[in-house]
């Protein structure tokens, strides 16, 4: 499997990075286009476009054939990150200043809009090489997933103003906010390759399992990850009063002074370093961290079980290694 991961690192990801660098992004006005280049040059795992390419190869399509769909998905992902950072008032992303902090909030909004426009422009390149039905399926898959991401983000904002949110509601929210675009990545690649409806449904389920696992893992890493690797301040979600999966599980389990402390962390009031430390200790003592790890592992196992049903191929090996890589990630 190490050879598979090395192939992804030395071939697939660099192929995507090169294509991103070669996008015809204009020079002027610099206020619009410099932030776009900044965002796309800001690194990242490029998991979503890699999933597009791998899913296409599962059904016989080349990287070149699937590249426009992969780039479109990656641009949309970055569009959502730019706007998400604005809503969260985040200071950093991947260890660098967020766009609205490096420039201004209006600039960041425009840059996000431009990334979305470019994503649709790239996708329109399939018009001449696909049937109308196939193109509509691809187009609607990507746009519907983007809408679902927005719906998930809207629910996340609603949760901020609700006193009580259940952990099951949170899972429903992240199935939209996080999982939808991962699912669309796999389905889009398969659509480009002409996969059947049954195959698309299997990949959709796989993507949802991966997305749910990925977000729960992010919630965990916010508490347990090394800050230098994670690129964010440890306990940042607690400081920001976010109702993460860990926080909601703890709120459901705790009582007395512990419950009061957690409620204060999510009330919109200032959260001190001491409160963050105490909340993390409550997470540990109540078994929330262990149970979140277990739920995350269950989703990854479900994803691997789906992949195991596919026919053996190098693309299947790549997909399995990506899942194992994500499961092991520490940032």
């Amino acid at each position: 499997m190490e050879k598979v991961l090395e192939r992804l690192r030395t071939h697939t990801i660099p192929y995507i990075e090169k294509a991103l660098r070669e996008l015809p992004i204009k020079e002027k006005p610099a206020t619009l286009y410099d932030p776009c280049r900044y965002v796309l040059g800001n690194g990242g795992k490029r998991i979503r476009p890699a999933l597009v390419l791998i899913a296409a190869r599962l059904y016989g399509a080349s990287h070149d054939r699937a590249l426009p769909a992969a780039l479109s998905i990656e641009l949309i992902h970055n569009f959502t990150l730019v706007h998400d950072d604005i809503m969260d008032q985040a200071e950093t992303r991947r260890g660098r200043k967020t766009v609205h902090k490096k420039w201004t909030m209006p600039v960041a909004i425009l840059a996000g809009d431009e990334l979305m426009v470019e994503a649709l422009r790239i996708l329109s390149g399939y018009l001449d090489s696909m049937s109308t039905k196939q193109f509509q399926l691809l187009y609607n898959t990507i746009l519907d997933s983007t809408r679902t991401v927005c719906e998930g983000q809207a629910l996340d904002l609603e949760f901020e103003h609700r006193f009580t949110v259940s952990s099951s509601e949170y899972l429903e929210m992240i199935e939209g906010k996080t999982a939808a675009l991962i699912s669309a990545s796999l389905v889009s690649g398969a659509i480009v390759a002409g996969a059947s409806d049954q195959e698309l449904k299997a990949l959709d389920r796989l993507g949802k399992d991966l997305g749910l696992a990925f977000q729960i893992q992010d919630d965990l890493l916010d508490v347990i990850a090394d800050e230098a690797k994670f690129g964010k301040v440890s306990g940042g979600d607690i400081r920001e009063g976010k109702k993460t999966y860990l926080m909601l599980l703890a709120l459901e389990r705790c009582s007395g002074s512990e419950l009061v402390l957690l409620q204060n962390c999510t009330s919109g009031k200032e959260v001190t370093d001491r409160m963050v430390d105490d909340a993390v200790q409550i997470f540990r003592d109540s078994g929330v961290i262990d149970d979140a790890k277990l739920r995350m592992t269950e989703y990854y196992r479900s994803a691997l079980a789906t992949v195991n049903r596919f026919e053996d191929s190098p693309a299947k090996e790549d997909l399995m290694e990506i899942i194992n890589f994500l499961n092991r990630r520490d940032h």
Side-chain angles (χ1 to χ4, degrees):
M1 282 297 182
E2 286 303 317
K3 289 183 178 178
V4 173
L5 189 55
E6 184 62 21
R7 182 166 69 245
L8 290 170
R9 287 171 174 164
T10 59
H11 296 289
T12 305
I13 305 304
Y15 174 77
I16 294 166
E17 294 286 0
K18 180 175 182 292
L20 288 169
R21 288 194 302 271
E22 292 176 352
L23 285 174
I25 297 175
K26 297 180 181 180
E27 294 295 329
K28 295 180 180 181
T31 305
L32 175 61
Y33 296 116
D34 283 355
C36 292
R37 274 184 285 272
Y38 177 79
V39 170
L40 297 178
N42 206 12
K45 301 173 187 67
R46 309 303 188 198
I47 293 299
R48 290 162 187 79
L51 289 174
V52 176
L53 301 183
I54 292 169
R57 284 174 45 230
L58 277 172
Y59 303 104
S62 68
H63 277 184
D64 287 348
R65 174 63 174 163
L67 182 60
L71 294 177
S72 180
I73 289 280
E74 183 65 4
L75 288 168
I76 290 172
H77 173 55
N78 279 275
F79 143 72
T80 66
L81 294 182
V82 171
H83 285 187
D84 194 36
D85 285 340
I86 294 170
M87 286 182 275
D88 290 345
Q89 299 181 38
E91 299 277 339
T92 62
R93 166 74 63 179
R94 298 165 184 158
R96 301 170 72 191
K97 284 186 178 181
T98 50
V99 177
H100 69 279
K101 286 298 179 181
K102 184 173 176 63
W103 283 274
T104 64
M105 192 176 297
V107 166
I109 293 171
L110 281 173
D113 292 345
E114 170 58 23
L115 291 170
M116 183 65 184
V117 170
E118 181 65 12
L120 297 179
R121 185 195 66 78
I122 292 170
L123 201 60
S124 68
Y126 282 116
L127 278 168
D128 294 333
S129 60
M130 281 184 174
S131 68
T132 301
K133 183 179 180 180
Q134 188 182 20
F135 178 77
Q136 286 179 337
L137 180 59
L138 176 64
Y139 188 80
N140 289 336
T141 293
I142 292 178
L143 284 194
D144 286 348
S145 70
T146 306
R147 173 183 288 164
T148 304
V149 170
C150 294
E151 291 172 348
Q153 181 64 34
L155 284 175
D156 198 16
L157 289 173
E158 288 181 15
F159 290 172
E160 291 180 12
H161 304 288
R162 281 175 49 186
F163 186 73
T164 302
V165 178
S166 69
S167 57
S168 60
E169 285 180 303
Y170 180 80
L171 292 176
E172 180 183 355
M173 181 272 290
I174 64 174
E175 187 169 324
K177 182 178 176 181
T178 304
L181 205 55
I182 292 176
S183 177
S185 300
L186 290 163
V187 173
S188 296
I191 290 172
V192 170
S196 68
D197 289 345
Q198 184 177 356
E199 290 163 337
L200 297 182
K201 288 179 181 178
L203 288 169
D204 179 58
R205 182 65 260 170
L206 168 60
K208 288 175 180 174
D209 283 335
L210 281 179
L212 288 163
F214 191 90
Q215 184 58 56
I216 292 173
Q217 192 172 26
D218 255 9
D219 291 352
L220 275 164
L221 290 173
D222 179 75
V223 173
I224 65 176
D226 180 275
E227 289 185 6
K229 291 182 178 179
F230 197 44
K232 298 179 182 178
V233 177
S234 180
D237 288 345
I238 301 172
R239 284 184 176 82
E240 294 170 17
K242 288 186 177 181
K243 295 181 177 74
T244 65
Y245 186 63
L246 280 73
M247 179 62 76
L248 293 173
L249 279 181
L251 284 165
E252 290 171 352
R253 295 179 182 183
C254 293
S255 60
S257 60
E258 290 183 339
L259 178 60
V260 171
L261 171 70
L262 297 178
Q263 288 174 336
N264 286 336
C265 287
T266 60
S267 67
K269 300 176 183 177
E270 180 183 358
V271 179
T272 65
D273 289 345
R274 175 63 184 273
M275 291 169 69
V276 172
D277 292 340
D278 289 346
V280 172
Q281 190 59 51
I282 291 171
F283 291 172
R284 296 187 188 280
D285 293 343
S286 63
V288 161
I289 289 177
D290 289 339
D291 287 349
K293 287 180 180 177
L294 179 61
R295 176 58 70 95
M296 176 198 77
T297 301
E298 288 173 349
Y299 283 126
Y300 277 129
R301 284 176 179 167
S302 177
L304 284 171
T306 298
V307 176
N308 277 327
R309 293 195 288 270
F310 298 158
E311 292 185 9
D312 289 342
S313 68
K316 176 183 175 179
E317 291 180 8
D318 286 356
L319 191 52
M320 292 187 73
E321 184 54 26
I322 278 188
I323 296 171
N324 286 321
F325 165 72
L326 291 175
N327 194 8
R328 297 190 303 264
R329 74 189 177 100
D330 56 6
H331 64 285

